[in-house]
Amino acid sequence: MNLKEELESLRLKVIEEIDQINTLGGLSQIRVEIFGKKGSITQALHGMKDLTPEERPVIGAFANEMRDALSEQLEAKKQELEEKVMNEKLSQETIDVTLPGRKIKRGVLHILNQAREEIENIFLSLGYQIVEGFEVEIDHYNFERMNMPKDHPARDMQDTFYISEDIVLRTHTSPVQARIMEAHDFSKGGLRMISPGKVFRRDTDDATHSHQFHQIEGLVVDQGITMGDLKGTLEFLIKKIFGESRDIRLRPSFFPFTEPSVEVDVSCFKCSGKGCNVCKHTGWIEILGAGMVHPEVLRMSEVDTDYSGFAFGLGIERITMLRYGINDIRDFYNNDLRFSVQFT
Ligand code: FA5
């Protein structure tokens, strides 16, 4: 058998092999067996060296054509087998689109954040800006600028976590008053802001007290601000939160940074003022502290003497407990889903 005949019989054999193979692994085996270093065609072509110079280009061209044709057939078979594998996979992996989907459990915003957002929205509607303060504050802003110099007895009202002699965990949101008055450009108009955030006191934790809780500070400073503005604003707030039929009452009180100072009560929403266990039979529930900004506080913040202002500070936990009849402040912080999901 001459080389051409040898190649031709090889070609027919390989074509038959390709035709019969039905796995991708088997196909790549055939590729190696014919084109590999020790493959049958490679071996056969070693015989080229024994050909005459006239035969060599003719047989060479025949061998090249044959190799190209076989490569094409191998490739075509490969695609056919890959398609077959894919179809088998797809038929096993069919998705039943009629099955009901798995429910994704949605969380809810914590009730204290819901309350904060609600109060923020009330004040945004009145044109207030929302200001963020520092939870770690310097003594200067937390106390001194709030008219509580060192050794002032009023400091005892807010038992304090000291980080160092001059740095404290703020005991109330009131230091934001001094910071914002300092930063505000009064030549462009008055100031209306609220500032919500965490505050800290060395109080013993019980049903109504926590060492960490939330307050919202309010401050308005402008020309001609009076106690009437304070009362009207708080009335608006309380009616929005507790309902239109609620009344408020101002009682004289004391804060070093306001003068006059008041405690603000709301008429009891359980008994509407008749007296019950919620309002301790007084008909009123204490809700926040407030007052006209003390002239000394304005002076320290370098606000012109023809400006006056009011300020208030409320505890978010307290308002939320009253509103929903929550008996223990610690329920807010326990992360018990049975509690949290009630406020969707
Ligand atoms: C203040 O903190 C003043 N800075 C409020 C203020 C601002 C008055 C501006 C005037 C002008 P007081 O210590 O009363 O005031 O606290 C305010 C509210 O925080 C209280 O009414 C109460 O609701 C809440 N509160 C106080 N201590 C705790 C505590 N340990 N746990 C939970 N809530 C508390």
Side-chain angles (χ1 to χ4, degrees), residues 238 242-243 245-247 266-285 287 319 321-327:
I238 296 303
F242 292 107
S245 52
R246 300 277 67 83
D247 287 324
V266 57
S267 58
C268 180
F269 34 80
K270 189 172 175 200
C271 64
S272 291
K274 289 187 205 81
C276 68
N277 57 341
V278 171
C279 59
K280 297 190 186 115
H281 303 281
T282 62
W284 296 93
I285 298 169
I287 217 98
I319 288 211
M321 286 170 80
L322 288 169
R323 189 170 177 189
Y324 295 104
I326 297 164
N327 297 322

Side-chain angles (χ1 to χ4, degrees), residues 158 171-172 174 177 201 203 208-210 213 215 217 255 257-258 263 286-291 311-315 318 329:
Q158 300 179 358
T171 54
H172 52 173
S174 297
Q177 286 188 34
R201 289 187 197 175
D203 286 343
T208 51
H209 293 87
S210 168
F213 56 102
Q215 287 189 338
E217 193 77 11
F255 296 103
F257 34 92
T258 45
E263 292 287 351
E286 185 186 313
I287 217 98
L288 56 90
F312 59 88
L314 59 88
R318 179 155 179 78
I329 194 169

Side-chain angles (χ1 to χ4, degrees), residues 8-9 25 124 139 216 218 226 249 267 316:
E8 180 58 21
S9 89
L124 282 172
D139 182 289
I216 296 186
T226 68
R249 173 176 90 167
S267 58
I316 303 183

